[in-house]
Amino acid sequence: MGALRLPALTSIFTSSSSVRSSPAIFPLKRRLRLPLRRPFSAQSTTEKVVAPELGDGKGKVVDKEKDRVITPRSQDFNAWYLDVIANAELADYGPVRGTMVIRPYGYAIWEAIQEYMNVKFKETGHSNMYFPQFIPYSFIEKEASHVEGFSPELALVTVGGGKELEEKLVVRPTSETIVNHMFTQWIHSYRDLPLMINQWANVTRWEMRTKPFIRTLEFLWQEGHTAHATAEEAEEEAMQMIDVYTKFAYEQAAIPVIAGRKSRVETFAGASTTYTIEAMMGDRKALQAGTSHNLGQNFSRAFGTQFTDENGQRQHVWQTSWAISTRFVGGIIMTHGDDAGLLLPPRLAPVQVVIVPIWKKDNEKAGVLTASSSVKETLQAAGIKVKIDDSDQRTPGWKFNYYEMKGVPLRIEIGPRDVSSGTLVISRRDVPGKQGKVFGISMEPSTLVAYVKDKLNEVQSSLLERATTFRDSNIVDVSSYDELKEAIAQGKWARGPWSAGDEEESKVKEETGATIRCFPFEQPQGPKKCLMTGNSADEVAIFAKSY
Amino acid sequence: MGALRLPALTSIFTSSSSVRSSPAIFPLKRRLRLPLRRPFSAQSTTEKVVAPELGDGKGKVVDKEKDRVITPRSQDFNAWYLDVIANAELADYGPVRGTMVIRPYGYAIWEAIQEYMNVKFKETGHSNMYFPQFIPYSFIEKEASHVEGFSPELALVTVGGGKELEEKLVVRPTSETIVNHMFTQWIHSYRDLPLMINQWANVTRWEMRTKPFIRTLEFLWQEGHTAHATAEEAEEEAMQMIDVYTKFAYEQAAIPVIAGRKSRVETFAGASTTYTIEAMMGDRKALQAGTSHNLGQNFSRAFGTQFTDENGQRQHVWQTSWAISTRFVGGIIMTHGDDAGLLLPPRLAPVQVVIVPIWKKDNEKAGVLTASSSVKETLQAAGIKVKIDDSDQRTPGWKFNYYEMKGVPLRIEIGPRDVSSGTLVISRRDVPGKQGKVFGISMEPSTLVAYVKDKLNEVQSSLLERATTFRDSNIVDVSSYDELKEAIAQGKWARGPWSAGDEEESKVKEETGATIRCFPFEQPQGPKKCLMTGNSADEVAIFAKSY
C-alpha cells in the first residue's frame, strides 16, 4: 500500500477562481502560493520548479527543497526559530527596527489564545474595556520604582497635529498609571469594589535586542487591572490569575510551566509581589510566559485611589495587574517545534486536520475529491478545524512536508483505493514516519469523528508529556554554588535552596548569566540550607538563563 | 394589578459578597453602585439618598432624581448625548485632551459589533493579522494626496529609549502605507492574489474638535486591505464590503443608512473612489458610519507593489481598504436614544433582558428570587443575554429607570402574585408606559423563550422602522439651490440632481454648512437637471450637515 502514497507529479494548472469564491474560514491557499523565503531559495526558482520529489520507498517523502529551507533545530536553535517563523508565515519584520508584522497564521494562534482567555476572564468576573494609549509623561513619574523600570524603554510622542506638545506623551508600555488615574474617578466607596477589568491592547517598549514574538518594540497583550478593599482580596486575585495562566499553559498550550514567585530583584517595577509562569524552551532557556502582580497600595498611594470603607474611613485600594502577550506564541514555537518545523498543540492550532487528496489518473480525481470534501464536512460539522488542500499545483509529497512544517497536528490522506474501501489514512505530526501513520480508518462519520477527536487529544497529551519529560530531565537539584554553576554551564536549570540577598543574586547573574526565574509554588519538604551562604533557607529557587 | 408594580422602599443593607463570587458574564452590579455623575447631583447625595419614589398611578414611575440627570434630548442634543454617555457609563474622558476611555458597557457594544463583523469578514475570505503602528514618516509622503490629507493630523514619535530618533515615526492614522510596504514583499505572482486581510487596531488622528465615540484622538477600528489582479476585482471587493456594512447597519444596528459614492472632494486621501454609508442621527445631522475605498493603483504605484501576471508581465496590483470604527457606537446612541437615555437594538445590546424581582415583605423575597433565577437560567440557556438585578440597595422603581437609561430592550418584572400564578410582566424599552407592558406571560420555559425572542425581534424591527420613518420624513427632494438652502436651514437633508464641479460643492459648504454626503446607489429614474447649474445630471446627491 506504500506505493499508493508516493507523490504524483500533478499538473501545474491553476484554478484562479478557487481562492476568492470559497468562503474559507481560514484561507491558507493564498499563503501556500507564496514562495518560500530563504536567501538561497530564490523566489523565481521556488515559483517555477515543482521539484520531482522522490519517495524513500517507505512512504516517507524526501523533499530536497525543504531540507534547504529550515536550519535543523539541533544545529542552530536561533536560526531554526527564525526560519520557522518565516517559512510557516507566522510573522515578518516591520519597517521600523524591532517591530513585527503578525501574519494570518501567527495571528490565528493569538486569536485562539484570546478566545480561551476571554471566556476565563469573564468567568472570573472581569469586564473588557479600553484605555487610551497616550499617557502624560508626568503619570509615569508618580510611582518611583515604576519610572525607574520603564523610563529607559519609553517611546515619546512630542509632536501632534503639527505642533510641539506642551507635555510629551508616553506611548503605553503598560497601563497601571492611566488605570489608576481613572480608577480614582470611579471608585468612591467600598460598594464600588472590587473593580475588575481587562483590556486587549498593543504596548510599546523600546527594546534594544529584539526577536520576533519574544521581544519586540510593539506587541499585543491583555492586561488585567483590579482594585480591592483588602490586601487579602488582592492577593487572592493575583493568585487566581496566575492560576488561570498556569491552567492555560498546561491544558491548551501543552507547556508545563513552573509557577512561582519572582525574587525581589525580578519583581515588576511597581509591584509588591510578582507571580510568574516560567517555561523551558527547546534550547533549555527559560521564557517568562505570563505574570500576575500584587501591586499592594503602591499605585493607589501614588495616585490617591481611595475609597470610603464600611466604617466611613478613607482607605487606599489594594490592586493587581496581570498580563500575557504575543510572546506566548513564541513560547509555543520554541517548546514544541522540531527539525521539520512548527508543531502546534491541537487546542490552539488554526488548522487541526489537513486533508490531502491523492490521485494519479484523471479518472481517479473526481472520486477522491468528492470523498475528501465529504470527510471535510463531517469533521467541520463536529467542530474540528479542518482544511482541504486540493490544489493541482503541488504534489502530495510537497503538501505533506508543507503542512508538517506548518505544524498541523493531523493529516488525512485519501487516495483512490481508500475511496473504494471507504477508509482513509491518518498521520500524526508529532510521530514521524510509519509509526505515526494509521491505515484503513473508516470514513463512516461517527466512527471517524470519534477517532479524529481521540487522536487530537492524544497529540495534545503527548506534547505535554514530552515537554514535561524534557523539562524534568533538564532541572538539576543543587546544594552549592559550584553545583549551580555546573548545571548552568551545561545549559540546564538549577534548583536549590536560596535565602541570600540581592547582591548574591546579582553575582550569580554576572558570573553565570542565570537569574532566579522563580521560587516555585511547589516546594520540597524539610529543612534547607542556602546554596550560596549555607544559612537556613525557607525555599528553593530556580535559576536559569532566559529570554 | 398596577399597585403591585409600585416600587417598594427596600432596605439599604448591602450583601458585599455578591459581586466577587458570582462569575457573571457581564457584571453590571459593580457599575450600578457608582454614583451618578452630574455636577449638580453631588455624589454624597446620590449615594445616601434612595429617594422615596412615587408612582404616577399608571404603573409608570416618576423619578425625581433621574429627571435631573439627563438633559432632555429635545432641549439640547449635544448635552443629552454627553449625559447619556456619562450616566450609562459608556465612556469617560482620558487624561490627554481628546482621548476617551471606553468603559465596559460601551466596550461590550463594540465587542458585539466585532463579533458580527469578524464572522462576515472571514466568510468573505479575509484573514485577520496585525501590522505595527509605527510607520516611518517617509512612507506617509509617498502617496501625494495621502500625505496632504493626513499630515495635519499626525502624532509623531521622535524619542525612543531615551534617544532622539533619526527618522520620526508616525503613529498609525491608517495603514495603507505600511500595508503596501509589506504587500510588496509578499506579492510576486498572480498566484499570490487576491490577498485579503483585516486588522482590528487602534488608530491616532490629531483632531482638534473631539466628541466621545464620534471623533477622538485615538479610536478603535477594523481596517481591511486587499490586493487584486484586476481593476474589476478591486471594484467588486470595495462594493462587497460596503454591502457588508450596509447589511450590518440595517440588520444589527437598526440604522437605515444610505449607501452611496462620495464626491471627489469627499473621497478618502489616496482613493480612486470612496463608498460610504451615511446615517441620520436624532438631530438630523449625518454621520459617516463606514467607508470602503477602491484605491485603484494609487498606493501600488507609490510603493511598487507589483505582480507577474499569467503572461509574465509585471503589473501593479489593484487595491481596496475599508473600515468601521468605535464611531459606530456613537451612531447607535444618537439614532435610537431618547429622553430616558440609551436605547439599544437587541442584536447589539450587552444585556437584552433585565429581570427585576419585586417584593415588599421579607417572606415574599425567597419565592420571588427563586422564580427570577429560574427565569434567568431559562433565558440564558436559550442564548438570550439576561441579567438579574436582585440588589437590596435600590427600589424597583429606581431599577426600572436605571435600566431604561441603560437602554436594555426588555424588562421582566416578577412579584409575589406572579410567582403564585406562574406568570411575569414584560416591558418594552421602546414603548413607554402601559402600552409597552404585557402582564401574565407564562413562565413555562418554552412559551417564555419563544415570547421573549419574539419581543426582541419586535423591538429590533420597530427601531429600524422608526428610524426609517424619521429619516424619510427628513429628506427633502430639491431641484434648485434655493430649495437646498431652505431644506438645510430647516435642519433636513436635501436630495437633488448634481453635476456641478468641486467649486460649486465648496460654495454650498461655505454658504450652508452642508456637504455632499453621497451619491446614493439608489437613484431615481428619468432625466435630471443639476440643481446648481441647470445642466443635465446623471445622479442625485444628498447634502447634509454632518458630524
Side-chain angles (χ1 to χ4, degrees), chain A residues 33 130 158 191 218 393, chain B residues 23 33 130 158 191 218 393:
Chain A
R33 289 175 191 156
Y130 188 76
T158 62
R191 286 188 298 269
E218 181 193 5
Q393 293 181 270
Chain B
R33 289 176 188 155
Y130 188 76
T158 62
R191 287 187 299 269
E218 181 193 4
Q393 294 181 271

Side-chain angles (χ1 to χ4, degrees), chain A residues 34-35 43 47, chain B residues 182-190 192-195 226-228 305-308 314 317 319:
Chain A
L34 297 179
Q43 171 204 328
E47 266 200 1
Chain B
M182 298 310 301
F183 275 17
T184 301
Q185 297 170 55
W186 300 333
I187 295 170
H188 305 280
S189 95
Y190 65 93
D192 302 326
L193 299 175
L195 183 49
T226 68
H228 307 265
T305 318
Q306 289 181 288
F307 70 101
T308 305
R314 294 294 281 169
V317 297
Q319 293 183 271

Side-chain angles (χ1 to χ4, degrees), chain B residues 184-247:
Chain B
T184 301
Q185 297 170 55
W186 300 333
I187 295 170
H188 305 280
S189 95
Y190 65 93
R191 287 187 299 269
D192 302 326
L193 299 175
L195 183 49
M196 297 159 80
I197 63 95
N198 176 61
Q199 82 172 349
W200 294 95
N202 55 343
V203 273
T204 298
R205 295 179 186 176
W206 210 266
E207 303 279 1
M208 283 302 122
R209 292 176 152 202
T210 59
K211 191 185 180 86
F213 290 113
I214 298 305
R215 185 173 281 110
T216 48
L217 281 204
E218 181 193 4
F219 55 95
L220 304 182
W221 77 351
Q222 61 67 216
E223 47 180 326
H225 296 275
T226 68
H228 307 265
T230 66
E232 293 69 34
E233 272 184 60
E235 177 63 15
E236 199 185 303
E237 165 76 1
M239 288 292 283
Q240 168 179 262
M241 298 323 288
I242 202 69
D243 194 45
V244 166
Y245 293 159
T246 306
K247 280 212 180 72

Side-chain angles (χ1 to χ4, degrees), chain A residues 139 141-144 176-177 179-181 183-184 187 227-229 231 270 272 295-307 314-319:
Chain A
F139 280 27
E141 296 177 303
K142 284 194 185 182
E143 210 287 329
E176 280 78 7
T177 58
V179 164
N180 266 81
H181 175 80
F183 274 17
T184 301
I187 295 171
H228 307 265
S272 297
L295 303 174
Q297 295 179 316
N298 299 336
F299 286 92
S300 65
R301 286 184 185 278
F303 283 83
T305 319
Q306 288 181 287
F307 69 103
R314 295 293 282 169
Q315 305 257 15
H316 287 97
V317 297
W318 300 83
Q319 293 184 270

Side-chain angles (χ1 to χ4, degrees), chain A residues 349-371:
Chain A
V351 179
Q352 298 172 310
V353 180
V354 62
I355 302 172
V356 179
I358 300 169
W359 68 93
K360 281 181 167 174
K361 301 173 196 154
D362 277 354
N363 62 3
E364 296 165 346
K365 183 175 172 179
V368 166
L369 290 189
T370 307

Side-chain angles (χ1 to χ4, degrees), chain A residues 64-102:
Chain A
K64 301 289 177 201
E65 184 71 29
K66 189 189 124 260
D67 289 347
R68 286 185 290 141
V69 171
I70 295 183
T71 309
R73 205 184 86 147
S74 49
Q75 188 183 305
D76 183 339
F77 194 83
N78 187 52
W80 167 84
Y81 178 71
L82 298 177
D83 285 349
V84 168
I85 287 175
N87 286 295
E89 294 175 342
L90 296 167
D92 210 336
Y93 295 102
V96 174
R97 178 198 70 82
T99 62
M100 166 178 69
V101 180
I102 308 179

